[in-house]
């Protein structure tokens, strides 16, 4: 008797297609996928940070004149808009609280809270990008003014692109929220963009502390 005949005889039908994917009892596959994607994005930022610190070490205007003490950075007469970036940091940190509010609201079945949290997060994200655009317009230098300018625009611009991607995901989630697509049992469409948004916020804190304050 063939293997197929034996399976049929024992009441087992033939399986078509790939085998079912393995699932962890602790972590949803979609959440795991987003975490792995975030890990790859963290490595991307790591390469930009490596370029930033390399420029600071080899730049003749940022040489070490005493142990653990650097000359002015950025090189004179340029200055980074620390205050404006600080305001932007406060805006983005606040948006982490609003997206958390949105996720917790739908977990409790509060659709109004979900909608309000998403709208508030989107508004704060747009305010961040607008403030960054104004900063770029008045910063007083461009990418052709030296390596320091290239790494400045590279790091902050890379983060700005991630904010734009996050906003796109949140806008999609907001449209679905107003159409009533989410429930306390099914809210991954909000939770997954929320995880990405928290990553964007944390990464900006690192960028701000490294580029503007260090």
């Amino acid at each position: 008797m063939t293997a197929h005949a034996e399976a049929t005889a024992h009441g087992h039908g033939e399986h078509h297609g790939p085998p079912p994917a393995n699932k962890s009892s602790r972590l949803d596959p979609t959440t795991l996928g987003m975490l792995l994607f975030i890990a790859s994005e963290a490595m991307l930022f790591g390469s930009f940070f490596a370029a930033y610190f390399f420029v600071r070490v080899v730049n003749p205007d940022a040489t070490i004149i005493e142990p653990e003490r650097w000359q002015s950075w950025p090189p004179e007469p340029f200055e980074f808009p620390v205050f404006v970036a600080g305001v932007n940091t406060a805006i983005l940190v606040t948006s982490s609280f609003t997206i958390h509010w949105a996720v917790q609201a739908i977990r409790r079945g509060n659709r109004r809270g979900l909608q309000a949290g998403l709208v508030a997060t989107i508004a704060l994200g747009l305010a961040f990008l607008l403030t960054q655009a104004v900063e770029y317009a008045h910063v007083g230098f461009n990418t052709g003014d030296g390596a320091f300018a290239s790494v400045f625009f590279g790091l902050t611009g890379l983060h700005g692109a991630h904010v734009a991607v996050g906003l796109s995901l949140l806008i999609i989630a907001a449209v679905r929220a107003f159409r009533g697509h989410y429930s306390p049992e099914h809210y991954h469409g909000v939770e997954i963009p929320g995880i990405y948004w928290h990553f964007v916020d944390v990464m900006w804190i690192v960028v701000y502390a490294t580029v503007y304050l260090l």
Side-chain angles (χ1 to χ4, degrees):
M1 182 180 291
T2 64
H4 175 70
E6 290 180 354
T8 304
H10 288 84
H12 300 291
E14 185 178 359
H15 176 75
H16 296 280
N22 293 326
K23 293 185 179 181
S24 171
S25 59
R26 297 183 179 181
L27 198 60
D28 183 85
T30 54
T31 303
L32 177 61
M34 176 54 72
L35 293 178
L36 291 175
F37 174 71
I38 286 175
S40 69
E41 293 299 284
M43 289 186 282
L44 174 62
F45 273 97
S47 64
F48 275 72
F49 278 115
Y52 167 79
F53 284 111
F54 178 79
V55 168
R56 287 198 65 167
V57 170
V58 302
N59 193 321
D61 292 319
T63 55
I64 298 176
I65 56 178
E66 293 181 12
E68 299 183 357
R69 180 181 175 187
W70 288 1
Q71 206 171 3
S72 61
W73 181 266
E76 296 181 354
F78 304 108
E79 292 183 2
F80 291 150
V82 178
F83 175 76
V84 176
V87 172
N88 242 3
T89 302
I91 291 173
L92 212 55
V93 169
T94 303
S95 72
S96 263
F97 289 98
T98 56
I99 189 61
H100 178 73
W101 170 35
V103 174
Q104 293 304 313
I106 191 58
R107 283 180 174 178
R108 296 189 298 266
N110 182 1
R111 294 183 181 275
R112 293 294 183 184
L114 166 66
Q115 295 166 357
L118 285 171
V119 170
T121 306
I122 292 170
L124 290 168
L126 289 173
F128 176 89
L129 287 182
L130 178 61
T131 304
Q132 190 172 55
V134 173
E135 174 188 331
Y136 283 173
H138 297 88
V139 72
F141 55 85
N142 56 46
T143 55
D145 287 320
F148 84 94
S150 297
V151 294
F152 169 80
F153 285 111
L155 259 176
T156 58
L158 175 67
H159 181 269
H162 281 72
V163 173
V165 172
L167 281 175
S168 300
L169 297 176
L170 292 177
I171 290 172
I172 294 173
V175 171
R176 294 186 61 192
F178 278 95
R179 292 181 178 179
H181 287 188
Y182 301 117
S183 68
E185 295 78 24
H186 304 284
Y187 55 87
H188 285 302
V190 179
E191 186 179 45
I192 301 304
I195 294 173
Y196 180 81
W197 192 255
H198 287 309
F199 162 73
V200 170
D201 292 355
V202 171
M203 190 53 64
W204 173 252
I205 294 175
V206 178
V207 171
Y208 175 67
T210 303
V211 175
Y212 294 88
L213 301 180
L214 187 61

